[in-house]
Amino acid sequence: MHRSAAEGHRVLISAPYGNDATSVASLLNQHGYHTAICPALEDIADAIDADAGVILVTEEALRADLGPLHRALEAQPAWSDIPFVLLTGRQGGRTMGQETLRRRLPDSALNVVLLERPLSAESLTSAIASAMRARQKQFEIRDQLSDLTSERTQLSTLLDALPVGIAFINPDGATRLANPEYLRFLPTGVTPSRLADGEMRWEGYNPDGTRIGRDRFVTPRALSGETIQGIEFLHHPAGGDSIWTRVSGIPLRDGEGRVTGAISVIVDIDDQKRGQAALADAAQKLEALVAERTAELTDALARLEAEAEERVRAEEALRQSHKMEAVGQLTGGIAHDFNNMLTGITGAIDVLRRRIATGRLDDLERFMDAASNSAQRAAGLTARLLAFSRRQSLDSTPTDINTLVASLEDLIRRTMSERITVSTKLADDLPAAVVDRNQLENAVLNLAINARDAMPEGGTLLVETGFAQLADGDCASQPDIAPGDYITVTVSDTGIGMDAATLGKVFEPFFTTKPIGQGTGLGLSMVYGFVNQSKGCVKIHSEEGKGTAVSIFLPVAGSSAEPEKEAPAAVHHGDGETVLLVEDDASVRLLVCDVLGELGYKAVEAAEPYAAIRLLESGARFDLMITDVGLPSMNGRQLADIARQHLPDLPILFITAYAQNAETRADFLGANMQMIAKPFQMQMLASKINEMLE
């Protein structure tokens, strides 16, 4: 079924004969139109409203009073022109002229279609459809006008509310539309370029500093097609203070690009400009204040630097005083102990010399033992000094700490008094630690003896092992210690303990709480130096009246513990092997050469490295080289490398008294190289030579 383009709008039908109106309405209803039958024109006038689409009348209906219809049409809005479809017919045997019938409608009925009867249904519905389409276009125009009105209202509201002056300018320079903010600066709406006093009222400057003339004002430039993105003008109103503004111009163009006008924009920037001026003034004042304060601070800094330099000098003098005091304590303590030891050695030698001179050879063994014991004590003191200075030669290997502590338990018990209970607590499944086992034994014994002296009335001594993990925070105060896994050995007692002041000094060299002559003050310093040299650390905790606990932290080994070395075998005599001896100390060289001769070896001496190199370059064959580590011009390890260039398989035995370059033997020694520390017994030297030659 055909649906009208104006569906929803009514067709108003007026015919004096009801049958005609009814049949027409029925026909239109069948084609989808809404209809309303109005018997008289007055009814048509009353029915005209927003839904009225088309008015269908017959010429017979026009004989009524047209006044009401005329008034109804005059009341319609300007966009409305309701279409009329007028059905004409024959009367009195003649046809009424169409123009005559047209004039019978009100003058306000401008859109009229005349149809002559009789006509077909198709002609009628076609005429109604055409009229309804025309009416629909009117409704579309109405909607567009409504939208335009709404947009204009919104634009007007926006322009009125904007804090920016805006005006639309015609091509001739006249203002077409301006908002209140624009009229604030130009009450008449006339642009500055058209004002007689425009150049006096609006003061602007070009970038080069020249004054802007009226021909270069914003509006003329915009109307010529130029876009101006803001020029600052100082506006001088007729009354009141001058105001800084920023004026912009935008040309308006049609579809072909021709300029059809312009938009002029004025922004009040007075607060901004005055704020900038105030800020610049404040910045200038601040800069002056900063300069003044900087000068004061510079003077104060100079004074502080001078005071700091003076303080540094005073602190350096104090440190030097403490250093000299420590050196005095060092020399006093060592001199005291070494004098006792040297007295035992030199006194025994003097007695032996007198008795041998007089032929009294009985009971010489006793004096030889006294000299040997004093020498061993001196060697022990030297070892403690080297441990304190972290310059002893360490033979660090993977070591089973539980086995080592268990082997010391009996010795520790025999060292304690009867009133001290000794116990051990060994952790299960403890991995090996990297350490020199002999030095660790000495350290544990040192701590045990300290614990014994701290329990004069008796108590309990506990030696325990454990596993610990040190994090970054634990190592913060000890930069030489790396975070990781460690094995711990802790020696704790229930003795008198220490106060905070004493606890802060326990690791200082030569500090001791024992009476003069009963301690060197190197015990804990030796432990600290040895453990630190072993890449570990020592922690101590003590409370007065509650005892002390000293913990040694040793790095975990990456492999299992090595078996303990067997005791030296009996002295072995050589079979004429040639030994190159490099030693700069004549006394040591004499003794070692004599021992080598007694053991059946042929000794070739060199007092310094270059003498040894000349012997090697001569092509002489050697079965072993014994060299001191500390030599003039080069160290023993460098000499060994040169010797290996001549004799690649030459065994090399290092002897050292001060291991500045050989603190860790594993890092210092190469293949088929070994080391013994001075002082050593000749039996140890013989055993080591035999071990290397075999």
Side-chain angles (χ1 to χ4, degrees):
M1 180 182 293
H2 173 72
R3 304 293 289 177
S4 170
E7 182 179 0
H9 298 289
R10 295 178 298 164
V11 178
L12 306 180
I13 303 173
S14 178
Y17 304 106
N19 291 337
D20 292 341
T22 302
S23 61
V24 170
S26 176
L27 175 63
L28 295 179
N29 289 339
Q30 291 176 9
H31 284 78
Y33 293 101
H34 298 287
T35 60
I37 298 176
C38 304
L41 289 181
E42 292 182 1
D43 300 323
I44 290 284
D46 293 338
I48 293 176
D49 57 13
D51 290 329
V54 178
I55 299 175
L56 176 64
V57 298
T58 63
E59 64 176 292
E60 293 84 2
L62 297 180
R63 297 189 182 102
D65 182 11
L66 299 180
L69 179 59
H70 176 73
R71 289 190 292 273
L73 294 176
E74 288 292 330
Q76 291 294 296
W79 58 266
S80 179
D81 184 12
I82 300 178
F84 281 79
V85 176
L86 177 60
L87 300 181
T88 66
R90 296 177 180 274
Q91 290 184 351
R94 63 179 180 86
T95 303
M96 182 180 292
Q98 293 184 352
E99 188 62 30
T100 302
L101 288 174
R102 168 68 185 81
R103 285 197 296 269
R104 293 193 61 182
L105 287 171
D107 294 338
S108 53
L110 303 177
N111 190 356
V112 181
V113 176
L114 281 73
L115 295 178
E116 184 175 333
R117 294 178 294 181
L119 74 163
S120 65
E122 182 178 355
S123 297
L124 177 61
T125 56
S126 176
I128 294 297
S130 178
M132 193 65 79
R133 284 195 296 272
R135 182 61 169 168
Q136 180 65 30
K137 290 182 179 179
Q138 295 178 26
F139 288 130
E140 291 174 357
I141 293 173
R142 176 200 63 185
D143 294 340
Q144 292 173 359
L145 289 174
S146 177
D147 292 341
L148 288 174
T149 301
S150 175
E151 291 176 0
R152 185 179 181 87
T153 301
Q154 293 174 4
L155 178 60
S156 177
T157 303
L158 175 63
L159 291 176
D160 290 347
L162 279 177
V164 175
I166 297 178
F168 292 85
I169 312 298
N170 288 328
D172 61 359
T175 301
R176 181 166 70 248
L177 174 67
N179 70 345
E181 184 67 12
Y182 189 88
L183 297 176
R184 169 191 164 199
F185 298 99
L186 296 163
T188 63
V190 179
T191 59
S193 60
R194 303 181 71 192
L195 292 173
D197 58 348
E199 291 174 310
M200 297 177 57
R201 298 272 300 277
W202 295 84
E203 181 182 346
Y205 294 89
N206 291 309
D208 60 3
T210 59
R211 182 78 177 266
I212 296 176
R214 67 174 58 247
D215 60 324
R216 295 297 295 161
F217 275 13
V218 172
T219 299
R221 292 169 63 183
L223 289 173
S224 67
E226 184 180 354
T227 299
I228 302 93
Q229 298 292 341
I231 297 178
E232 293 183 357
F233 284 88
L234 184 60
H235 173 50
H236 304 287
D241 298 330
S242 298
I243 301 172
W244 278 102
T245 63
R246 181 179 291 113
V247 183
S248 302
I250 305 169
L252 297 175
R253 301 178 186 274
D254 59 15
E256 298 179 357
R258 292 189 297 267
V259 176
T260 60
I263 298 176
S264 179
V265 180
I266 303 176
V267 181
D268 184 344
I269 60 170
D270 196 64
D271 290 343
Q272 176 184 339
K273 292 288 287 186
R274 299 189 188 281
Q276 290 175 350
L279 185 61
D281 183 60
Q284 186 176 4
K285 292 179 180 178
L286 179 60
E287 185 177 353
L289 181 60
V290 168
E292 180 182 351
R293 293 293 297 153
T294 300
E296 294 176 359
L297 290 174
T298 301
D299 293 341
L301 181 60
R303 291 194 300 271
L304 287 174
E305 289 176 347
E307 293 175 2
E309 291 176 1
E310 183 62 31
R311 186 180 298 108
V312 168
R313 286 193 292 270
E315 290 175 352
E316 184 61 30
L318 181 61
R319 279 195 296 270
Q320 185 66 22
S321 174
H322 288 168
K323 187 185 298 183
M324 295 308 296
E325 182 181 350
V327 170
Q329 189 175 3
L330 164 65
T331 55
I334 292 180
H336 176 272
D337 288 344
F338 265 110
N339 281 335
N340 288 337
M341 300 166 192
L342 291 174
T343 298
I345 295 171
T346 58
I349 292 175
D350 286 343
V351 171
L352 289 172
R353 182 180 292 112
R354 286 197 303 270
R355 291 207 174 192
I356 292 172
T358 58
R360 296 173 55 193
L361 302 181
D362 58 319
D363 201 24
L364 295 182
E365 190 72 23
R366 181 162 60 93
F367 297 101
M368 293 174 64
D369 289 342
S372 179
N373 289 337
S374 294
Q376 291 299 325
R377 288 172 56 205
L381 178 57
T382 303
R384 288 197 295 275
L385 285 169
L386 288 174
F388 155 69
S389 65
R390 307 177 212 174
R391 290 295 184 268
Q392 61 184 332
S393 176
L394 296 180
D395 187 13
S396 298
T397 57
T399 303
D400 187 334
I401 302 301
N402 281 347
T403 301
L404 183 145
V405 171
S407 68
L408 289 175
E409 184 174 2
D410 184 61
L411 178 59
I412 293 174
R413 289 183 189 279
R414 287 189 278 109
T415 306
M416 300 297 109
S417 67
E418 297 82 359
R419 291 178 291 181
I420 295 177
T421 301
V422 177
S423 62
T424 59
K425 184 178 179 181
L426 307 180
D428 297 330
D429 301 324
L430 203 63
V434 181
V435 69
D436 185 319
R437 53 168 51 92
N438 292 329
Q439 295 298 330
L440 180 58
E441 288 175 352
N442 290 337
V444 173
L445 288 175
N446 254 308
L447 295 177
I449 292 171
N450 283 349
R452 178 199 65 190
D453 296 341
M455 297 184 289
E457 304 299 326
T460 300
L461 183 142
L462 173 64
V463 182
E464 57 183 323
T465 61
F467 177 83
Q469 289 182 317
L470 296 182
D472 292 333
D474 302 319
C475 305
S477 60
Q478 296 176 292
D480 295 335
I481 305 302
D485 298 336
Y486 289 83
I487 304 301
T488 61
V489 181
T490 302
V491 179
S492 56
D493 62 66
T494 57
I496 58 177
M498 291 177 280
D499 57 23
T502 304
L503 194 62
K505 299 179 180 180
V506 291
F507 292 127
E508 293 181 3
F510 314 113
F511 175 78
T512 179
T513 57
K514 299 175 183 178
I516 296 177
Q518 295 186 21
T520 61
L522 284 173
L524 285 177
S525 297
M526 180 273 292
V527 172
Y528 181 86
F530 148 67
V531 174
N532 192 274
Q533 189 179 346
S534 301
K535 297 181 173 57
C537 64
V538 182
K539 296 186 178 183
I540 185 169
H541 175 76
S542 184
E543 293 184 43
E544 287 188 275
K546 295 184 178 180
T548 301
V550 181
S551 296
I552 296 174
F553 289 73
L554 299 169
V556 170
S559 59
S560 57
E562 295 181 1
E564 192 171 354
K565 296 179 181 179
E566 298 180 358
V571 176
H572 175 79
H573 289 270
D575 192 19
E577 291 92 339
T578 303
V579 178
L580 174 59
L581 173 64
V582 187
E583 171 60 63
D584 60 329
D585 188 287
S587 298
V588 176
R589 195 168 62 249
L590 172 66
L591 291 173
V592 175
C593 282
D594 186 71
V595 170
L596 290 173
E598 289 185 3
L599 293 175
Y601 300 106
K602 179 183 177 182
V604 178
E605 301 179 42
E608 49 86 22
Y610 289 105
I613 292 173
R614 286 192 293 272
L615 290 171
L616 291 165
E617 290 175 343
S618 69
R621 302 297 302 175
F622 298 101
D623 299 293
L624 174 70
M625 182 173 78
I626 300 175
T627 176
D628 193 0
V629 173
L631 293 171
S633 72
M634 71 176 67
N635 62 49
R637 186 63 173 84
Q638 294 168 326
L639 176 61
D641 291 337
I642 295 174
R644 286 285 176 86
Q645 294 175 9
H646 298 280
L647 300 171
D649 299 324
L650 179 66
I652 299 173
L653 175 62
F654 294 102
I655 55 177
T656 180
Y658 173 65
Q660 182 176 7
N661 299 306
E663 294 112 347
T664 304
R665 297 186 188 183
D667 299 332
F668 184 82
L669 300 177
N672 202 12
M673 296 180 183
Q674 295 201 33
M675 178 185 292
I676 58 176
K678 299 176 183 178
F680 49 80
Q681 294 179 345
M682 295 307 163
Q683 180 180 357
M684 179 183 296
L685 176 64
S687 175
K688 187 64 70 174
I689 293 173
N690 178 49
E691 177 186 342
M692 297 188 71
L693 289 177
E694 284 184 349

